[in-house]
Amino acid sequence: MLRPLLAVLFLVSTAAQADECDGLAARIAQAVGAKKVGRRVGPSIDIRAASGVRLDLTCRAQPIVQASSSDASPSPEYFRELTLASELVVGEPAQTVQPILGQAYETALREGRKSFIQQNGWSASCYTDSAGSLRTLCSVGRIPTE
């Protein structure tokens, strides 16, 4: 009797998390001018901003948004779109997120390693690779408390 009840509770919880993630993806899509939300693959949803920047929203314990770029130096749109999406994910104003994200990128570029900056319960991280096809990968998300 207990197992079927636990299974139902798990499915209800999973469905609720999926609904929350779908809602967040829709709000991000609207903020970045995307025509539609991409398809869901497991816990991740792809969103292509009107500028062409590709964002990935991953919903697990806490949502994380990331963007990748194959350019040696990502465009201003890359950082603008990621900052707009991050504002919705972490609940901090864009003017708070943007300089932290910029600092994570500059540190990764300068030191040639992943940069991770924690700030008031959320974090920004960037990775750069001057030789690879994926030149920059930055992400922002809430730090799980559990």
Side-chain angles (χ1 to χ4, degrees):
M1 179 73 168
L2 185 58
R3 275 194 171 161
L5 180 59
L6 289 175
V8 168
L9 288 175
F10 174 75
L11 291 174
V12 169
S13 174
T14 303
Q17 287 176 336
D19 289 346
E20 288 177 25
C21 191
D22 290 337
L24 180 57
R27 291 191 304 279
I28 290 171
Q30 182 178 19
V32 299
K35 291 186 169 76
K36 66 178 183 169
V37 175
R39 64 185 180 95
R40 175 187 286 274
V41 177
S44 298
I45 301 172
D46 291 327
I47 303 165
R48 182 181 285 263
S51 65
V53 173
R54 296 180 72 124
L55 301 167
D56 176 71
L57 174 65
T58 301
C59 296
R60 289 197 174 101
Q62 293 288 332
I64 298 170
V65 65
Q66 68 180 14
S68 59
S69 174
S70 59
D71 297 330
S73 180
S75 67
E77 290 83 12
Y78 171 92
F79 291 104
R80 181 174 45 89
E81 308 297 14
L82 184 53
T83 297
L84 287 172
S86 298
E87 180 177 28
L88 294 168
V89 168
V90 298
E92 294 285 341
Q95 61 266 27
T96 300
V97 174
Q98 190 278 328
I100 302 300
L101 185 59
Q103 182 183 356
Y105 171 72
E106 290 298 326
T107 300
L109 195 60
R110 182 179 61 253
E111 295 180 7
R113 62 176 180 82
K114 183 176 183 178
S115 173
F116 181 80
I117 300 173
Q118 293 185 358
Q119 183 81 17
N120 299 324
W122 61 276
S123 67
S125 67
C126 287
Y127 168 79
T128 60
D129 182 352
S130 60
S133 61
L134 173 66
R135 296 287 182 89
T136 304
L137 176 66
C138 293
S139 63
V140 176
R142 284 239 157 254
I143 299 169
T145 55
E146 301 170 2

